[in-house]
């Protein structure tokens, strides 16, 4: 750990900022904190945040000789900065009275309309804040993907540390235990596609082409997308809850203290498990969707089983399955990284773990839809 900035030679109040190997900022407050000496500036902290590096959390350790309301004013400004950047803030060593004042000041959200800064044009302010949060979220995501890539390279060099039995457990959780929900969803999607197609194609006496509709839709699109969404709601949320609970129990901090990278030990086996299992689940979902189409075509329409199978084999090509598998591979990375990132960013309370779980599901599904749109544009440009 390297000391990044210190005001130890300046008059009180004194603020020292230190970046830990676990990507957390540790702030130490010392000296006299009095109004007469002014409220300490957040400049060194905001400069660290402005570098764009991923910050997993901020911990404040107070070792004060005295204090008054200037300390509370400083902590509230820091609380606002952390809330804007969605960065967990932990306070330690505060005097009991200061802790009570801070808790009271942050317990109830400020009533809308009482903030002087909110007297401007609210929609533009909201759009600006949302844009800044989206940009920061994107930068954090890219930094996290970079950290996973570096961890993957360490794995190839034999230097990444994680337990192989954990990896096998995650493979079981992501694969075999997800089969029932993937079966139900994919079968229903195949049934629905066949029903909708039959209603239109029956007008032209072309019920047989229901097989084409179901096969191409499942192989290229629905199999991968539905598998990704199911895993985002099931596995991504589980990853966020598991790592978030470890964050709350300070197990992540313990790993960093022991010199073990949380990315290697916690994130890498989860990402590898989903990267391995998502394409297999996608292929399974394709088959279940085709079975759903078969049930509708043979059971309701005047289509024989042999005719449906032959039409399916003529309609779908091997390349269509490869397109779906490529999408599912990307979706697996998205789901795993969303769950793990939100888990590492979780606070140290049960409510914070719940928020992290919700964010993992929402961001996972959102990025899956965005990635699917980009795939559509790219495949169209390539003529595939």
């Amino acid at each position: 750990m390297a000391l990044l900035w210190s005001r130890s030679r300046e008059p009180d109040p004194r603020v020292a900022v230190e970046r830990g190997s676990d990507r957390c900022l540790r702030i130490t407050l010392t000296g006299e904190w009095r109004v007469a000496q002014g409220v300490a500036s957040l400049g060194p902290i905001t400069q660290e945040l402005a570098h764009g590096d991923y910050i997993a959390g901020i911990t404040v350790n107070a070792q004060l000789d005295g204090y008054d309301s200037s300390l509370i004013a400083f902590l509230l400004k820091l609380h606002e900065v952390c809330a804007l950047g969605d960065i967990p803030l932990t306070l330690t060593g505060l005097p009991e009275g200061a802790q009570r004042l801070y808790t009271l000041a942050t317990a109830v959200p400020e009533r809308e309309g009482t903030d002087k800064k909110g007297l401007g044009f609210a929609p533009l302010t909201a759009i600006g804040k949302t844009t800044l949060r989206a940009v920061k979220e994107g930068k954090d995501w890219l930094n996290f993907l970079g950290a996973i890539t570096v961890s993957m390279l360490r794995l190839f060099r034999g230097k990444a540390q994680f337990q192989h039995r954990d990896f096998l457990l995650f493979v079981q959780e992501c694969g075999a235990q997800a089969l029932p929900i993937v079966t139900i969803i994919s079968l229903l999607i195949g049934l629905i596609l066949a029903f909708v197609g039959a209603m239109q194609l029956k007008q032209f006496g072309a019920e047989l082409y229901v097989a084409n509709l179901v096969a191409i839709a499942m192989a290229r699109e629905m199999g991968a997308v539905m598998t990704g969404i199911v895993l985002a709601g099931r596995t991504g949320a589980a990853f966020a809850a598991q790592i978030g609970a470890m964050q709350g129990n300070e197990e992540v901090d313990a790993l960093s203290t022991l010199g073990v990278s949380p990315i290697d030990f916690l994130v890498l086996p989860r990402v590898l498990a989903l990267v391995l299992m998502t394409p297999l689940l996608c292929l399974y979902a394709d088959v279940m969707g085709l079975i759903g189409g078969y049930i509708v075509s043979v059971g309701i329409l005047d289509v024989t089983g042999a005719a449906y199978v032959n039409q399916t084999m003529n309609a779908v090509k091997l390349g269509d399955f490869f397109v779906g598998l490529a999408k599912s591979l990307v979706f697996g990375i998205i789901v795993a990284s969303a769950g793990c990132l939100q888990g590492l960013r979780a606070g140290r309370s049960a409510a914070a773990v719940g928020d992290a779980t919700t964010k993992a599901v929402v961001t996972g599904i959102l990025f899956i839809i965005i990635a699917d749109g980009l795939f559509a544009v790219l495949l169209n440009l390539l003529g595939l």
Side-chain angles (χ1 to χ4, degrees), residues 349-366:
S349 65
V353 175
D355 290 341
T357 304
T358 303
K359 289 179 182 177
V361 176
V362 172
T363 55
I365 293 176
L366 176 64

Side-chain angles (χ1 to χ4, degrees), residues 108-184:
V108 180
E110 190 174 7
R111 183 178 298 175
E112 293 184 5
T114 59
D115 184 7
K116 293 181 180 179
K117 293 182 291 186
L119 296 177
F121 188 34
L124 289 179
T125 303
I127 292 172
K129 289 183 177 179
T130 304
T131 303
L132 289 176
R133 279 198 296 268
V135 170
K136 184 180 183 306
E137 190 73 21
K139 290 171 65 177
D140 288 348
W141 189 295
L142 291 176
N143 287 333
F144 190 64
L145 289 178
I148 293 175
T149 304
V150 172
S151 178
M152 194 81 71
L153 294 176
R154 282 201 296 268
L155 175 66
F156 292 143
R157 295 167 59 190
K159 295 185 177 179
Q161 302 177 33
F162 66 84
Q163 295 182 330
H164 292 170
R165 61 183 179 182
D166 286 348
F167 169 69
L168 296 177
L169 180 62
F170 295 137
V171 167
Q172 179 185 352
E173 291 180 353
C174 301
Q177 295 182 4
L179 282 178
I181 185 65
V182 172
T183 302
I184 294 172

Side-chain angles (χ1 to χ4, degrees), residues 205-234:
E207 296 91 336
L208 183 59
Y209 289 97
V210 168
N212 299 50
L213 172 66
V214 174
I216 294 175
M218 289 303 301
R220 294 182 65 93
E221 193 71 29
M222 299 307 295
V225 171
M226 295 312 299
T227 301
I229 290 176
V230 167
L231 292 179
R234 182 185 180 280

